[in-house]
Amino acid sequence: MIEITGVNKTYSNGFVALKDVNLTINKGEVFALLGPNGAGKTSLISAICGLVEPTSGTITVGGFDTRKDYRQARSLIGLVPQELFLEIFETVWSTMTYARGFFGKKDDPALYEQILKDLSLWDKKDTKIQALSGGMKRRVLIARALTNEPSVLFLDEPTAGVDVELRREMLEVVKNLQKRGTTVILTTHYIEEAEELADRVGIISGGEIKLVENKVDLMKRMGHKTLSLNLENKLDALPTDITQEGVSLSKDGTKILYSYKTGSNSGITSLLSNLKNAGIAFEDLDTEQSSLEEIFVTLVNQQ
Amino acid sequence: MNWIGLWTIYKKELQRTRRVLFQSVVSPVITTALYFVVFGSAIGSAVTTIDGVSYAQFIVPGLIMMALLANSFSAASSGIYFPKFIGSIYELLSAPISYVEITAGYVLAATTRALLIGGIIFGVALFFTPLPVLHPWWALVFSILVSFVFALFGFVVGLWASNFEQLGLLPTFVIAPLSFLGGVFYSISMLPPFWQTVTLFNPLVYMINGLRWAFFGITDVHPVWSMVVTLLFMILLFGVVAWIFKTGYKLRK
């Protein structure tokens, strides 16, 4: 759906925001772009959407070059910016009609009604933007981006500074769009979101794409699981015959912890039988998977 | 061509005018009425006539022109500056709309707004003095052209300005003084010869006198020159706008 080839961006103040970015976004996928602040996430999105002119390289959206065929390329795109860029004296409804109008599409009240209802904004349709709370304004930004029925939706940190409930709702919106076949590109700090929504994850740091991988594969590859066994009786030290790598005793002596990589040869079976032989009984067990966040921190630190 | 996009910008700008109705329409009317009271009635009674036209009549085209200049300029400059300032310009930049369409939307809306105000001022003036207009079509053509040129000018300044101070720079320090010195309230033939020559370098003299000629057939400069200067201004501004868009200057980083 989107093809980014050799894109560089150096701002007029000399700041290099993007370095030779190559990236393909597939049709219908949810792609999460992760990276620390100032990594180039917004610059990359802005370059695709036409807000920033790349210094070099080409970008196509749905096969249309974003410079030569900008009309066709941009017609496919909906953009939800990070900041609350709204004209505060306008009503929610007029914001919607203008947004669609700019895209050269005929007014469609039924569509606006649907969008506003989906985003729990329907009762606010005649309210001026200035009277809305921050969370509501963010919904308006999303509503506005949907008015041109985009095939690709960009969400630039959609849940930054948003309460839990709204965050839930937004995740629902993304899931619904995904069901309808809309391609969604999402940048976020909240790795749980990427973990929950994304099909693929891209990690950008210092203007370079460090890694693009299927989320499940990435978590499998980088993910460690921790098995914790709650002991019936406290131990002062691990029995000497338990020598398996990755096994440790918690500080208070109530748990045995085992860190392992998922897959076959996890070593769980041998650990459990060894414990049984040593006469150690446990009352409960628990496994925990390392999150994308930990993976992300590890990856960024590695570079 | 994204006609709906252009029309949306135009409509949105005029709705903005309606929202700030008092500031944008009522206040120029009050200002004009005050000019009439002070200059038309109080001082005008001492001046009697200029080239056979009563002083109250004489100042009408100048006042209209002054309103057209100021309002078309400020409507277009603030129209493009505010979205830039608050960031909502992203909407236009990410939409399938060309620079020409964006400019046309803002400039035509500002032209319309200025003409509305010009029309209202004409209406207000009728309360103070009879106004038989000699060449109504020329008056209209001239008003449209000048409003359009200054809307274009305002648009360029709105694009260029990176803070409110810069936005207010031209109206305060260039347009207002030049229109006051451009013969709104006097015929330049009343000036000493040296200042008459200096005044001829003020482009607004040509615009104000152009409209006065259309109204009463009297002018300090030949109407052809009025037209030529206005058109030259327009060509110059088209050039600036084309250059701005070629470089993406100040809009796309």
Side-chain angles (χ1 to χ4, degrees), chain A residues 227-261:
Chain A
L227 172 70
S228 49
L229 301 164
N230 292 17
L231 303 175
E232 266 178 10
N233 301 306
K234 244 179 163 183
L235 286 180
D236 293 329
L238 274 178
T240 46
D241 45 345
I242 309 277
T243 53
Q244 211 166 330
E245 209 185 316
V247 180
S248 60
L249 188 68
S250 68
K251 269 184 189 160
D252 58 2
T254 59
K255 282 180 194 170
I256 286 177
L257 304 170
Y258 174 49
S259 165
Y260 63 99
K261 274 198 171 185

Side-chain angles (χ1 to χ4, degrees), chain A residues 99-207:
Chain A
R100 191 172 164 86
F102 293 148
F103 273 74
K105 294 185 177 171
K106 281 214 181 85
D107 221 17
D108 187 349
L111 174 73
Y112 308 151
E113 184 175 339
Q114 187 55 49
I115 294 171
L116 291 175
K117 281 181 174 164
D118 286 349
L119 286 159
S120 326
L121 277 170
W122 181 241
D123 57 329
K124 302 269 189 232
K125 69 183 171 73
D126 298 318
T127 309
K128 280 192 180 171
I129 306 280
Q130 59 182 345
L132 298 177
S133 69
M136 285 289 179
K137 284 182 188 150
R138 204 162 275 283
R139 285 175 213 229
V140 174
L141 282 179
I142 297 181
R144 188 160 78 171
L146 295 176
T147 55
N148 65 304
E149 302 161 282
S151 316
V152 189
L153 184 71
F154 286 88
L155 293 158
D156 197 357
E157 311 225 356
T159 54
V162 151
D163 65 20
V164 182
E165 192 194 343
L166 180 53
R167 217 158 125 187
R168 277 275 120 228
E169 276 186 37
M170 285 199 195
L171 298 186
E172 279 311 305
V173 170
V174 173
K175 283 180 182 165
N176 283 333
L177 287 169
Q178 190 180 12
K179 268 183 223 151
R180 272 182 253 163
T182 309
T183 309
V184 178
I185 292 118
L186 155 102
T187 75
T188 181
H189 283 306
Y190 298 103
I191 296 179
E192 315 87 85
E193 282 167 17
E195 211 172 322
E196 186 172 345
L197 296 170
D199 300 311
R200 285 197 308 151
V201 176
I203 291 177
I204 185 169
S205 178

Side-chain angles (χ1 to χ4, degrees), chain B residues 9 16 66 68 70 89 106 110 117 119 122 133 138 156-157 162 165 177 180 200 246 253:
Chain B
I9 296 175
R16 195 170 65 91
M66 221 161 68
L68 294 179
I89 189 83
Y106 278 105
I117 294 168
F122 181 79
V133 179
W138 277 114
V156 169
V157 171
S162 44
E165 220 163 273
F180 272 95
L200 290 178
K246 218 176 151 189
K253 279 177 263 178

Side-chain angles (χ1 to χ4, degrees), chain B residues 195-219:
Chain B
W195 288 110
Q196 281 190 32
T197 315
V198 171
T199 303
L200 290 178
F201 288 95
N202 176 356
L204 302 202
V205 165
Y206 298 87
M207 300 175 187
I208 292 164
N209 276 288
L211 193 62
R212 189 169 287 140
W213 169 81
F215 264 61
F216 309 121
I218 60 163
T219 175

Side-chain angles (χ1 to χ4, degrees), chain A residues 9 11 49-53 70-72 74-75 77 79 81 84-90 95 97-99 101-106 128 141 144, chain B residues 1-2 4-6 8-9 11-13 15-16 19 82-83 86-99 101 106 248 251-253:
Chain A
K9 177 63 192 178
Y11 287 106
C49 296
L51 306 185
V52 159
E53 199 81 56
Y70 70 95
R71 282 188 207 267
Q72 290 95 323
R74 287 185 208 155
S75 324
I77 296 176
L79 169 65
L84 299 172
F85 291 146
L86 287 162
E87 297 205 6
I88 56 168
F89 298 115
E90 275 164 16
T95 299
T97 62
Y98 293 148
F102 293 148
F103 273 74
K105 294 185 177 171
K106 281 214 181 85
K128 280 192 180 171
L141 282 179
R144 188 160 78 171
Chain B
M1 187 85 184
N2 182 352
I4 298 179
L6 195 165
T8 305
I9 296 175
K11 221 169 41 179
K12 177 168 179 273
E13 281 302 290
Q15 263 159 15
R16 195 170 65 91
R19 214 163 43 220
F82 281 106
I86 60 173
S88 61
I89 189 83
Y90 89 86
E91 249 197 316
L92 286 176
L93 297 182
S94 62
I97 189 164
S98 69
Y99 284 129
E101 288 149 6
Y106 278 105
L251 273 182
R252 290 202 162 85
K253 279 177 263 178

